[in-house]
Structure formats: C-alpha cells, structure tokens
Amino acid sequence: MIKAEDSRERHQGRRGLLRLAALAIFLALLSSCQGERRTISVSGFGTVTFVPDTVSFTITVKNVSPTLEEATALTKEATQRVVELCKKYGIGDEDIVTSYANSGKEYANQYGEGEPKFLGYASTQSTAVSYQDLPKFEEFSRELLALEITSLHDLSFSHSKYSDYASEADMLALDDAKRAAEKIAARMKIGLGEVLSVASTGNSPGMEYGRGYETQLMAKDMGGGIALSPGILTATKRVDVVFGIR
C-alpha cells in the first residue's frame, strides 16, 4: 500500500514538472512573438551634379646612374624643382605630398629570356599634387613637362566641397526612401512607424582622366601642356531604411 502511494506521488510530481516546463515554453514563445516587429525596408537614391574645381595628379621622377649617390642626387634635385614650380602656382604645402626616394639596382631583360644586364642604380621619387585653378592647368602642366620628370599620371577630378554635395545627395536619397515607404504603406493600408535603421553608401569623389603616360608623352611631342575637359561629375548616394509598422 505504501509502495502504491509512493508511485502515485512520483507520477503526480512528474506531471507537475511537465506542466511547469510546458508553461515555460509557452511564455517564451509568447514573449518571442511579442518581441517581433513588423517592418518595411526600402531603398532611396539621390544624385547631385557639379563642375569640379580640383585636379589631382602624380609626378614621378626616375634616374639611372653608375652610382647610387648620383642617381639619388639627380632624382631629389628634379623633385625639388617640381615642388618649387608647384609653389610658384600657389599650391600650399598641404596639397603637395612627396614620397621618400626609392633606390635599387636597374637591369635590362630582368624578367625575359637570357642573362639580365646591369644598367646601373635607379632612384625613383613621386609627388602627389592637388591643384584648384583648372583654367591655368594647361600652362602649369606645360612647365611641369619641361622639367626632368619621368611621368605625369593618375589625373583625377573632384571638388573642394565634395562632402557638401555628398551630404545633399544623402538627403535626396532619404527623401526618396521616405516617399517609397509612404507609397507602400498607402497601398497596403498600414501606418508607418518610427525609423529603425538607416545605412548609406555612395560613389567615390573623383573621376580618373586619361592614361598618364600617354597623356604626358603626347603633350611633350606637341610641345604644350595638357588641356583638360573634366565635364560634369556626380555625387550619388543610396540609403537603405527600415521603418516600423503601426
């Protein structure tokens, strides 16, 4: 009799534990359902066009000489003349960035068939420049190309106030996303809630121009500078917005 009662009590205890476990699972599921939010995800796009006022480019100087000292000295002297000419045209130190001179042995046929031939010691140095007087660039580049430089390359255009245009494009993209969300909400007969997240992406501020070596050689052959025609640039932004639903 005692054994039967003990068995019945253990059975009832297990049933009680099962009820508690089931209740806990139900409450967890209920909480999860209540925590889910209905949302609308939309994308918007904004574009602002502008005329560039800045050209950026790189001047590279390279010399090969019998001695490393001579090659380095020639390269540094030519680079210094480039910097002096930049300052003559009103370019500030913050818009002239000169690398360290890179030196090493120079060979002919280094990667081809046959034995490489030692030519001497090479020294290379580059100067990155940003210039904001585009109408004078042809005259400026004519004087640059008259110096002992190896190449003028990596030309690109931008604007000194590009961040302002990019911000304006962001605002246009947000307006576009909001209109899209409102149209969806009106069509589905639902109300828009608060904004839950916003992510913005966009294009780069510059536009490449031509191929540096070809541009430089063509200008040297013609005995003139480089005539620029940058055209119109754009700042394009995309925003992804998530709205809650009321």
Side-chain angles (χ1 to χ4, degrees):
M1 187 68 178
I2 294 174
K3 290 182 179 179
E5 290 177 355
D6 289 344
S7 176
R8 189 162 50 251
E9 289 176 358
R10 286 197 297 270
H11 180 67
Q12 290 175 347
R14 284 196 295 271
R15 290 179 62 185
L17 290 174
L18 289 173
R19 290 195 191 98
L20 289 174
L23 179 61
I25 293 172
F26 173 75
L27 291 175
L29 290 173
L30 180 62
S31 175
S32 175
C33 291
Q34 290 176 340
E36 291 180 358
R37 306 189 70 165
R38 296 188 303 159
T39 62
I40 292 177
S41 298
V42 293
S43 296
F45 298 87
T47 298
V48 175
T49 59
F50 57 92
V51 177
D53 70 352
T54 302
V55 58
S56 299
F57 56 92
T58 301
I59 296 288
T60 296
V61 175
K62 179 179 179 181
N63 284 282
V64 179
S65 298
T67 66
L68 180 60
E69 291 77 9
E70 182 181 10
T72 302
L74 289 173
T75 295
K76 288 186 175 181
E77 289 171 5
T79 298
Q80 182 58 35
R81 286 192 287 272
V82 168
V83 172
E84 290 171 356
L85 181 60
C86 289
K87 292 185 176 181
K88 171 187 171 182
Y89 277 84
I91 303 175
D93 291 337
E94 67 278 7
D95 291 322
I96 306 171
V97 180
T98 300
S99 68
Y100 290 106
N102 183 26
S103 303
K105 294 180 179 180
E106 185 84 356
Y107 292 90
N109 198 35
Q110 185 172 2
Y111 302 105
E113 297 180 358
E115 191 71 20
K117 180 181 178 182
F118 177 67
L119 299 177
Y121 292 90
S123 179
T124 305
Q125 194 166 25
S126 295
T127 303
V129 182
S130 292
Y131 185 53
Q132 294 184 6
D133 193 352
L134 297 191
K136 288 187 177 180
F137 183 75
E138 185 172 0
E139 174 190 337
F140 177 32
S141 63
R142 183 186 304 115
E143 292 195 43
L144 280 171
L145 295 172
L147 299 176
E148 295 299 321
I149 68 172
T150 303
S151 65
L152 188 159
H153 55 100
D154 294 342
L155 274 79
S156 64
F157 296 102
S158 186
H159 200 285
S160 55
K161 295 183 178 180
Y162 174 79
S163 59
D164 293 341
Y165 294 120
S167 296
E168 185 179 349
D170 265 326
M171 296 301 103
L172 293 174
L174 284 171
D175 291 341
D176 187 43
K178 183 180 178 182
R179 286 192 296 269
E182 289 172 343
K183 287 181 180 179
I184 294 173
R187 179 62 61 90
M188 302 302 294
K189 294 181 171 50
I190 55 178
L192 282 182
E194 62 182 356
V195 174
L196 302 179
S197 69
V198 178
S200 174
T201 58
N203 62 354
S204 60
M207 181 187 74
E208 292 184 358
Y209 179 80
R211 296 174 62 181
Y213 289 94
E214 293 180 2
T215 302
Q216 183 236 350
L217 292 174
M218 181 176 66
K220 273 186 174 292
D221 290 342
M222 295 174 62
I226 301 172
L228 300 179
S229 54
I232 303 296
L233 299 188
T234 61
T236 301
K237 288 301 188 80
R238 166 181 170 165
V239 295
D240 299 310
V241 185
V242 179
F243 291 88
I245 297 176
R246 289 201 299 266

